[in-house]
């Protein structure tokens, strides 16, 4: 991913325009802190719901400087970190082979290869959920309560990064509880520690943000995509049918990993009684996490394919569990004298390596080919435009528009996304905020333009480029 940090997002991968806006939308408050000395400059306060991600990006900007490439570097490191965590965390309990295959299965998924090099908060969610799930393996430890508390801290941070991670967290805890059982005292202590940590984080957030900043949160709610619940059985059936027919390509992009995770879950179910308690808890946690994170997508009214990202490490863990179960079964058959002449009995270390390489190839080839196509046909328009913007836009001015956070990202200026219909940064921003620059699609006109006809008629297009999912002209416009 690193050699292609400056390649623009490929079009046609999702119906959402998010690849062309959300990198800046979710990193702008961290940028504000480093460039302007404050997180909030207007109604755009996504950091209130993404505090761990904002803190991480703020640290990166403070160390490396402010820029989209720096933000993307953080995402790449998080993606690589999740892959390494899967491999290292599963090695002791499941074996090196299944652990490595699981890590490759995650890293080679087309969804991960597309979004993993873009500055999305989902990659931090994936890392934190993976860490919390792997700590399920400590459920039988004599210090299970402490390990559970640590797992709860990671899971709480995941929810603090993206609120919708709560579904995966709930599924993980339920699945791990079912898998590990509550009769022994250690699993009970682990679960109590995890729930206690999550409760402490929740109370801290409510006290520090939820109550004192409730009006900011109400405005923030109108920024986020609106979701509606099914109104009844008919609507529910219609949504399920629509998901099967149109799911923003998520089933195809994550197809190999979805199938491998399903196979792993079936293998786990077949060999359930022969699995150690720790492996049961791990597999149950991963399965619960995957079912909850994927299941909620079936009912949402808005579900771009990036919402599936946080479930992919769970599927990778299930893939590794399935391979481990197969390896155990093969070893059991080899040790059975009545099966010594069977093909299973003759499999050796070389065959195991070959099977692992074949599995890695099957799981990663579709994603690698898709990634290669996206990169080969990619453009590099954005970075020169950001350099151009830093030369054009004076420091201390205000830039308005849907693309203002992106095009004004490296300039020490206030960037204002105005959505008057929802009450987000409304009003005559030309007069009240001193807006003299517009960064938006060419045909978009701010509502206040009619109040200042002479200034609007005197506007100048300083630079334009093709951007967004439809490739429409996006321009930087200067007003007197």
């Amino acid at each position: 991913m690193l050699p292609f940090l400056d390649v623009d997002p490929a079009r046609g991968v999702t119906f959402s325009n998010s690849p062309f806006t959300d990198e800046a939308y979710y990193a702008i408050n961290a940028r504000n802190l480093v460039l302007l000395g404050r997180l909030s400059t207007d109604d755009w306060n996504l950091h209130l719901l993404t505090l761990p991600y904002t803190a991480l990006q703020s640290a990166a900007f403070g160390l490396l400087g402010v820029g989209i490439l720096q933000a993307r570097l953080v995402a790449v490191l998080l993606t690589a970190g999740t892959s390494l965590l899967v491999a290292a965390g599963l090695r002791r309990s499941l074996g090196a082979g299944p652990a490595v295959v699981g890590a490759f299965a995650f890293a080679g998924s087309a969804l991960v290869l597309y979004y993993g090099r873009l500055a999305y908060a989902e990659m931090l969610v994936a890392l934190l959920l993976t860490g919390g799930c792997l700590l399920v393996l400590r459920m039988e430890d004599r210090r299970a309560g402490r390990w559970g508390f640590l797992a709860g801290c990671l899971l709480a941070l995941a929810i603090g990064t993206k609120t919708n991670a709560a579904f995966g967290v709930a599924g993980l805890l339920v699945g791990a509880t079912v898998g590990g059982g509550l009769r022994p005292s250690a699993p009970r202590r682990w679960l109590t520690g995890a729930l206690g940590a999550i409760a402490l984080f929740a109370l801290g957030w409510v006290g520090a943000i939820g109550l004192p900043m409730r009006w900011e949160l109400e405005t923030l709610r109108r920024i986020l995509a609106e979701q509606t619940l099914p109104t009844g059985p008919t609507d529910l059936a219609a949504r399920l049918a629509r998901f099967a027919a149109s799911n923003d390509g998520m089933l195809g992009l994550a197809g190999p990993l979805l199938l491998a995770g399903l196979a792993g879950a079936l293998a786990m179910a077949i060999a359930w009684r022969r699995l150690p308690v720790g492996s049961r808890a791990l597999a149950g946690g991963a399965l619960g996490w995957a079912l909850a994170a994927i299941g909620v997508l079936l009912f949402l009214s808005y579900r771009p394919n990036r919402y599936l990202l946080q479930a992919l490490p769970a599927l990778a863990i299930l893939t590794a569990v399935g391979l481990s179960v197969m390896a155990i079964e093969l070893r059991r058959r080899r040790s059975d004298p009545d099966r010594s002449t069977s093909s299973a009995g003759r499999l050796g270390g070389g065959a195991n390596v070959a099977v692992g390489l074949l599995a890695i190839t099957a799981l990663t080839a579709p994603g690698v080919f898709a990634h290669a196509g996206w990169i080969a046909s990619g453009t590099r328009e954005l970075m020169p435009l950001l350099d151009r913007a830093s030369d054009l836009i004076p420091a201390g001015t205000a830039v308005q528009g849907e693309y203002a956070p992106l095009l004004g990202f490296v300039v020490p200026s206030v960037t204002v996304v105005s959505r008057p219909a929802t009450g987000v940064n409304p009003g005559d921003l030309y007069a009240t905020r001193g807006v003299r620059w517009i960064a938006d699609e060419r045909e978009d006109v701010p509502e206040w333009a009619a109040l200042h006809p002479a200034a609007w008629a005197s506007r100048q297009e300083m630079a334009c480029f093709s951007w967004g999912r439809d490739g429409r002209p996006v321009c930087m416009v200067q007003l007197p």
Side-chain angles (χ1 to χ4, degrees), residues 401-448:
E402 289 293 315
Y403 298 95
L406 182 68
L407 294 182
F409 199 83
V410 298
V411 182
S413 60
V414 174
T415 60
V416 185
V417 178
S418 179
R419 295 174 180 173
T422 61
V424 178
N425 292 319
D428 184 358
L429 301 181
Y430 183 87
T432 62
R433 301 302 302 269
V435 167
R436 295 298 182 268
W437 284 83
I438 304 293
D440 217 331
E441 293 184 4
R442 177 179 283 158
E443 63 268 21
D444 286 348
V445 178
E447 286 199 350
W448 50 259

Side-chain angles (χ1 to χ4, degrees), residues 125 128-130 132-133 136 151-177 190-191 194-195 197-199 284-286 288-294 296 310-311 314:
V125 174
L128 292 168
L129 287 175
T130 301
C133 187
V136 169
C153 290
L154 295 177
L155 298 177
L157 289 172
I159 298 172
T161 301
K162 291 283 286 190
T163 309
N164 59 6
F167 296 104
V169 168
L172 192 161
L173 293 177
V174 171
T177 300
W190 189 96
L191 181 62
L195 292 175
I198 294 172
W289 165 13
L291 288 177
I294 297 172
V296 71
Q310 60 180 256

Side-chain angles (χ1 to χ4, degrees), residues 1-7 375 380:
M1 292 179 178
L2 289 178
F4 312 113
L5 281 182
D6 62 333
V7 176
I375 296 301
R380 286 179 163 89

Side-chain angles (χ1 to χ4, degrees), residues 348-375:
N352 290 338
V353 172
V355 170
L357 291 175
L358 182 62
I360 290 173
T361 301
L363 289 167
T364 61
V368 170
F369 279 115
H371 175 68
W374 295 327
I375 296 301

